[in-house]
Amino acid sequence: MQLRLKEHWKLVALGLALLVAIAFIVVSVISDSSDAAWPKQKTGGPIVEQGVVDVDLSDPPQQAWELDVRALTDNPGDVLLSMPSTLDSYYGYGNTYQVGDVLVAATAYPLPKTDESSSSQGVGAVTLVGVNPDDGSPLWKTRIGGVIGQCSQQNESTIIACWGDRRMILSIPRPEL
């Protein structure tokens, strides 16, 4: 029995489709077995092995130190701003930002509220303060003034970028610990 040319190509195409289907099944089986060996997070990457804290947590933690804004500034009315963003407004709370081995805080004097419906107050000139992470004492102060909107979320070990009406790059001094 001889096949015509059309029938011959149909047979070749059917054979190739069968090979592709087999390859797809093999890849699918291998992929499923690797997923079992490396479970995935929601982001799709393998779960990184996490260390276990070997500390007795039956007793409450002890306070190491307290950040006192009055120790960070020479101006009695200054407040701690929310570092590294919203440095042009005060919302009633603030926090520090780690740059290398130093915590950086931003302080400023809150201005009177102009809009009663707003939950924030404008602020005057901003001062960045380096804070010793061991005891909360100030290491240095740099007045950056002007209207500073925010500083960069990412930083290189001793460089921080801030901007608002103007842009600036600050080199953070390393502490003498």
Side-chain angles (χ1 to χ4, degrees), residues 10-25:
K10 285 182 184 178
L11 190 58
V12 169
L14 182 62
L16 284 174
L18 185 59
L19 285 174
V20 168
I22 291 172
F24 180 75
I25 292 171

mmCIF file with all atom_site columns, all heavy atoms in Angstrom, residues 10-25:
data_model
loop_
_atom_site.group_PDB
_atom_site.id
_atom_site.type_symbol
_atom_site.label_atom_id
_atom_site.label_alt_id
_atom_site.label_comp_id
_atom_site.label_asym_id
_atom_site.label_entity_id
_atom_site.label_seq_id
_atom_site.pdbx_PDB_ins_code
_atom_site.Cartn_x
_atom_site.Cartn_y
_atom_site.Cartn_z
_atom_site.occupancy
_atom_site.B_iso_or_equiv
_atom_site.pdbx_formal_charge
_atom_site.auth_seq_id
_atom_site.auth_comp_id
_atom_site.auth_asym_id
_atom_site.auth_atom_id
_atom_site.pdbx_PDB_model_num
ATOM 1   N N   . LYS A 1 10 ? 0.335  14.280 6.199  1.00 0.00 ? 10 LYS A N   1
ATOM 2   C CA  . LYS A 1 10 ? -0.613 14.220 7.305  1.00 0.00 ? 10 LYS A CA  1
ATOM 3   C C   . LYS A 1 10 ? -0.089 13.296 8.391  1.00 0.00 ? 10 LYS A C   1
ATOM 4   O O   . LYS A 1 10 ? -0.193 13.589 9.579  1.00 0.00 ? 10 LYS A O   1
ATOM 5   C CB  . LYS A 1 10 ? -1.982 13.717 6.817  1.00 0.00 ? 10 LYS A CB  1
ATOM 6   C CG  . LYS A 1 10 ? -2.770 14.737 6.046  1.00 0.00 ? 10 LYS A CG  1
ATOM 7   C CD  . LYS A 1 10 ? -4.115 14.157 5.645  1.00 0.00 ? 10 LYS A CD  1
ATOM 8   C CE  . LYS A 1 10 ? -4.917 15.111 4.785  1.00 0.00 ? 10 LYS A CE  1
ATOM 9   N NZ  . LYS A 1 10 ? -6.181 14.528 4.375  1.00 0.00 ? 10 LYS A NZ  1
ATOM 10  N N   . LEU A 1 11 ? 0.486  12.166 7.996  1.00 0.00 ? 11 LEU A N   1
ATOM 11  C CA  . LEU A 1 11 ? 1.046  11.220 8.952  1.00 0.00 ? 11 LEU A CA  1
ATOM 12  C C   . LEU A 1 11 ? 2.230  11.840 9.699  1.00 0.00 ? 11 LEU A C   1
ATOM 13  O O   . LEU A 1 11 ? 2.361  11.680 10.921 1.00 0.00 ? 11 LEU A O   1
ATOM 14  C CB  . LEU A 1 11 ? 1.472  9.939  8.216  1.00 0.00 ? 11 LEU A CB  1
ATOM 15  C CG  . LEU A 1 11 ? 1.851  8.757  9.081  1.00 0.00 ? 11 LEU A CG  1
ATOM 16  C CD1 . LEU A 1 11 ? 0.718  8.360  9.997  1.00 0.00 ? 11 LEU A CD1 1
ATOM 17  C CD2 . LEU A 1 11 ? 2.271  7.589  8.217  1.00 0.00 ? 11 LEU A CD2 1
ATOM 18  N N   . VAL A 1 12 ? 3.087  12.594 9.002  1.00 0.00 ? 12 VAL A N   1
ATOM 19  C CA  . VAL A 1 12 ? 4.225  13.263 9.637  1.00 0.00 ? 12 VAL A CA  1
ATOM 20  C C   . VAL A 1 12 ? 3.717  14.317 10.626 1.00 0.00 ? 12 VAL A C   1
ATOM 21  O O   . VAL A 1 12 ? 4.223  14.432 11.750 1.00 0.00 ? 12 VAL A O   1
ATOM 22  C CB  . VAL A 1 12 ? 5.149  13.891 8.571  1.00 0.00 ? 12 VAL A CB  1
ATOM 23  C CG1 . VAL A 1 12 ? 6.186  14.810 9.204  1.00 0.00 ? 12 VAL A CG1 1
ATOM 24  C CG2 . VAL A 1 12 ? 5.832  12.807 7.764  1.00 0.00 ? 12 VAL A CG2 1
ATOM 25  N N   . ALA A 1 13 ? 2.723  15.111 10.249 1.00 0.00 ? 13 ALA A N   1
ATOM 26  C CA  . ALA A 1 13 ? 2.164  16.136 11.130 1.00 0.00 ? 13 ALA A CA  1
ATOM 27  C C   . ALA A 1 13 ? 1.546  15.504 12.372 1.00 0.00 ? 13 ALA A C   1
ATOM 28  O O   . ALA A 1 13 ? 1.706  16.006 13.487 1.00 0.00 ? 13 ALA A O   1
ATOM 29  C CB  . ALA A 1 13 ? 1.132  16.967 10.380 1.00 0.00 ? 13 ALA A CB  1
ATOM 30  N N   . LEU A 1 14 ? 0.842  14.383 12.219 1.00 0.00 ? 14 LEU A N   1
ATOM 31  C CA  . LEU A 1 14 ? 0.255  13.677 13.350 1.00 0.00 ? 14 LEU A CA  1
ATOM 32  C C   . LEU A 1 14 ? 1.348  13.172 14.282 1.00 0.00 ? 14 LEU A C   1
ATOM 33  O O   . LEU A 1 14 ? 1.235  13.273 15.509 1.00 0.00 ? 14 LEU A O   1
ATOM 34  C CB  . LEU A 1 14 ? -0.627 12.519 12.850 1.00 0.00 ? 14 LEU A CB  1
ATOM 35  C CG  . LEU A 1 14 ? -1.351 11.717 13.923 1.00 0.00 ? 14 LEU A CG  1
ATOM 36  C CD1 . LEU A 1 14 ? -2.310 12.598 14.698 1.00 0.00 ? 14 LEU A CD1 1
ATOM 37  C CD2 . LEU A 1 14 ? -2.086 10.537 13.310 1.00 0.00 ? 14 LEU A CD2 1
ATOM 38  N N   . GLY A 1 15 ? 2.435  12.667 13.732 1.00 0.00 ? 15 GLY A N   1
ATOM 39  C CA  . GLY A 1 15 ? 3.556  12.194 14.539 1.00 0.00 ? 15 GLY A CA  1
ATOM 40  C C   . GLY A 1 15 ? 4.199  13.331 15.320 1.00 0.00 ? 15 GLY A C   1
ATOM 41  O O   . GLY A 1 15 ? 4.533  13.192 16.504 1.00 0.00 ? 15 GLY A O   1
ATOM 42  N N   . LEU A 1 16 ? 4.377  14.493 14.686 1.00 0.00 ? 16 LEU A N   1
ATOM 43  C CA  . LEU A 1 16 ? 4.947  15.656 15.375 1.00 0.00 ? 16 LEU A CA  1
ATOM 44  C C   . LEU A 1 16 ? 4.022  16.142 16.487 1.00 0.00 ? 16 LEU A C   1
ATOM 45  O O   . LEU A 1 16 ? 4.477  16.502 17.576 1.00 0.00 ? 16 LEU A O   1
ATOM 46  C CB  . LEU A 1 16 ? 5.210  16.784 14.381 1.00 0.00 ? 16 LEU A CB  1
ATOM 47  C CG  . LEU A 1 16 ? 6.431  16.601 13.485 1.00 0.00 ? 16 LEU A CG  1
ATOM 48  C CD1 . LEU A 1 16 ? 6.504  17.709 12.446 1.00 0.00 ? 16 LEU A CD1 1
ATOM 49  C CD2 . LEU A 1 16 ? 7.693  16.561 14.311 1.00 0.00 ? 16 LEU A CD2 1
ATOM 50  N N   . ALA A 1 17 ? 2.735  16.151 16.252 1.00 0.00 ? 17 ALA A N   1
ATOM 51  C CA  . ALA A 1 17 ? 1.779  16.561 17.277 1.00 0.00 ? 17 ALA A CA  1
ATOM 52  C C   . ALA A 1 17 ? 1.838  15.619 18.470 1.00 0.00 ? 17 ALA A C   1
ATOM 53  O O   . ALA A 1 17 ? 1.773  16.044 19.628 1.00 0.00 ? 17 ALA A O   1
ATOM 54  C CB  . ALA A 1 17 ? 0.370  16.613 16.702 1.00 0.00 ? 17 ALA A CB  1
ATOM 55  N N   . LEU A 1 18 ? 2.002  14.332 18.209 1.00 0.00 ? 18 LEU A N   1
ATOM 56  C CA  . LEU A 1 18 ? 2.118  13.341 19.273 1.00 0.00 ? 18 LEU A CA  1
ATOM 57  C C   . LEU A 1 18 ? 3.393  13.579 20.081 1.00 0.00 ? 18 LEU A C   1
ATOM 58  O O   . LEU A 1 18 ? 3.369  13.515 21.312 1.00 0.00 ? 18 LEU A O   1
ATOM 59  C CB  . LEU A 1 18 ? 2.090  11.924 18.676 1.00 0.00 ? 18 LEU A CB  1
ATOM 60  C CG  . LEU A 1 18 ? 2.089  10.771 19.666 1.00 0.00 ? 18 LEU A CG  1
ATOM 61  C CD1 . LEU A 1 18 ? 0.886  10.851 20.589 1.00 0.00 ? 18 LEU A CD1 1
ATOM 62  C CD2 . LEU A 1 18 ? 2.102  9.449  18.937 1.00 0.00 ? 18 LEU A CD2 1
ATOM 63  N N   . LEU A 1 19 ? 4.517  13.892 19.413 1.00 0.00 ? 19 LEU A N   1
ATOM 64  C CA  . LEU A 1 19 ? 5.777  14.176 20.109 1.00 0.00 ? 19 LEU A CA  1
ATOM 65  C C   . LEU A 1 19 ? 5.664  15.432 20.980 1.00 0.00 ? 19 LEU A C   1
ATOM 66  O O   . LEU A 1 19 ? 6.161  15.463 22.104 1.00 0.00 ? 19 LEU A O   1
ATOM 67  C CB  . LEU A 1 19 ? 6.916  14.337 19.104 1.00 0.00 ? 19 LEU A CB  1
ATOM 68  C CG  . LEU A 1 19 ? 7.432  13.039 18.468 1.00 0.00 ? 19 LEU A CG  1
ATOM 69  C CD1 . LEU A 1 19 ? 8.455  13.353 17.392 1.00 0.00 ? 19 LEU A CD1 1
ATOM 70  C CD2 . LEU A 1 19 ? 8.024  12.129 19.528 1.00 0.00 ? 19 LEU A CD2 1
ATOM 71  N N   . VAL A 1 20 ? 5.015  16.464 20.456 1.00 0.00 ? 20 VAL A N   1
ATOM 72  C CA  . VAL A 1 20 ? 4.831  17.698 21.231 1.00 0.00 ? 20 VAL A CA  1
ATOM 73  C C   . VAL A 1 20 ? 3.973  17.423 22.462 1.00 0.00 ? 20 VAL A C   1
ATOM 74  O O   . VAL A 1 20 ? 4.255  17.911 23.554 1.00 0.00 ? 20 VAL A O   1
ATOM 75  C CB  . VAL A 1 20 ? 4.216  18.806 20.346 1.00 0.00 ? 20 VAL A CB  1
ATOM 76  C CG1 . VAL A 1 20 ? 3.753  19.991 21.175 1.00 0.00 ? 20 VAL A CG1 1
ATOM 77  C CG2 . VAL A 1 20 ? 5.218  19.256 19.291 1.00 0.00 ? 20 VAL A CG2 1
ATOM 78  N N   . ALA A 1 21 ? 2.919  16.635 22.309 1.00 0.00 ? 21 ALA A N   1
ATOM 79  C CA  . ALA A 1 21 ? 2.052  16.294 23.438 1.00 0.00 ? 21 ALA A CA  1
ATOM 80  C C   . ALA A 1 21 ? 2.818  15.516 24.490 1.00 0.00 ? 21 ALA A C   1
ATOM 81  O O   . ALA A 1 21 ? 2.689  15.778 25.697 1.00 0.00 ? 21 ALA A O   1
ATOM 82  C CB  . ALA A 1 21 ? 0.841  15.517 22.956 1.00 0.00 ? 21 ALA A CB  1
ATOM 83  N N   . ILE A 1 22 ? 3.643  14.578 24.089 1.00 0.00 ? 22 ILE A N   1
ATOM 84  C CA  . ILE A 1 22 ? 4.446  13.797 25.035 1.00 0.00 ? 22 ILE A CA  1
ATOM 85  C C   . ILE A 1 22 ? 5.445  14.712 25.756 1.00 0.00 ? 22 ILE A C   1
ATOM 86  O O   . ILE A 1 22 ? 5.618  14.618 26.977 1.00 0.00 ? 22 ILE A O   1
ATOM 87  C CB  . ILE A 1 22 ? 5.158  12.629 24.320 1.00 0.00 ? 22 ILE A CB  1
ATOM 88  C CG1 . ILE A 1 22 ? 4.109  11.585 23.877 1.00 0.00 ? 22 ILE A CG1 1
ATOM 89  C CG2 . ILE A 1 22 ? 6.211  11.993 25.198 1.00 0.00 ? 22 ILE A CG2 1
ATOM 90  C CD1 . ILE A 1 22 ? 4.668  10.493 22.987 1.00 0.00 ? 22 ILE A CD1 1
ATOM 91  N N   . ALA A 1 23 ? 6.096  15.616 25.000 1.00 0.00 ? 23 ALA A N   1
ATOM 92  C CA  . ALA A 1 23 ? 7.047  16.549 25.606 1.00 0.00 ? 23 ALA A CA  1
ATOM 93  C C   . ALA A 1 23 ? 6.337  17.446 26.621 1.00 0.00 ? 23 ALA A C   1
ATOM 94  O O   . ALA A 1 23 ? 6.860  17.716 27.709 1.00 0.00 ? 23 ALA A O   1
ATOM 95  C CB  . ALA A 1 23 ? 7.721  17.386 24.526 1.00 0.00 ? 23 ALA A CB  1
ATOM 96  N N   . PHE A 1 24 ? 5.132  17.909 26.288 1.00 0.00 ? 24 PHE A N   1
ATOM 97  C CA  . PHE A 1 24 ? 4.370  18.745 27.198 1.00 0.00 ? 24 PHE A CA  1
ATOM 98  C C   . PHE A 1 24 ? 4.041  17.990 28.486 1.00 0.00 ? 24 PHE A C   1
ATOM 99  O O   . PHE A 1 24 ? 4.153  18.532 29.586 1.00 0.00 ? 24 PHE A O   1
ATOM 100 C CB  . PHE A 1 24 ? 3.083  19.223 26.513 1.00 0.00 ? 24 PHE A CB  1
ATOM 101 C CG  . PHE A 1 24 ? 2.228  20.090 27.376 1.00 0.00 ? 24 PHE A CG  1
ATOM 102 C CD1 . PHE A 1 24 ? 2.577  21.403 27.630 1.00 0.00 ? 24 PHE A CD1 1
ATOM 103 C CD2 . PHE A 1 24 ? 1.069  19.573 27.955 1.00 0.00 ? 24 PHE A CD2 1
ATOM 104 C CE1 . PHE A 1 24 ? 1.782  22.200 28.434 1.00 0.00 ? 24 PHE A CE1 1
ATOM 105 C CE2 . PHE A 1 24 ? 0.281  20.363 28.761 1.00 0.00 ? 24 PHE A CE2 1
ATOM 106 C CZ  . PHE A 1 24 ? 0.638  21.681 29.001 1.00 0.00 ? 24 PHE A CZ  1
ATOM 107 N N   . ILE A 1 25 ? 3.651  16.749 28.391 1.00 0.00 ? 25 ILE A N   1
ATOM 108 C CA  . ILE A 1 25 ? 3.329  15.936 29.568 1.00 0.00 ? 25 ILE A CA  1
ATOM 109 C C   . ILE A 1 25 ? 4.570  15.734 30.424 1.00 0.00 ? 25 ILE A C   1
ATOM 110 O O   . ILE A 1 25 ? 4.524  15.851 31.651 1.00 0.00 ? 25 ILE A O   1
ATOM 111 C CB  . ILE A 1 25 ? 2.691  14.590 29.136 1.00 0.00 ? 25 ILE A CB  1
ATOM 112 C CG1 . ILE A 1 25 ? 1.300  14.848 28.537 1.00 0.00 ? 25 ILE A CG1 1
ATOM 113 C CG2 . ILE A 1 25 ? 2.611  13.624 30.312 1.00 0.00 ? 25 ILE A CG2 1
ATOM 114 C CD1 . ILE A 1 25 ? 0.673  13.635 27.874 1.00 0.00 ? 25 ILE A CD1 1
#
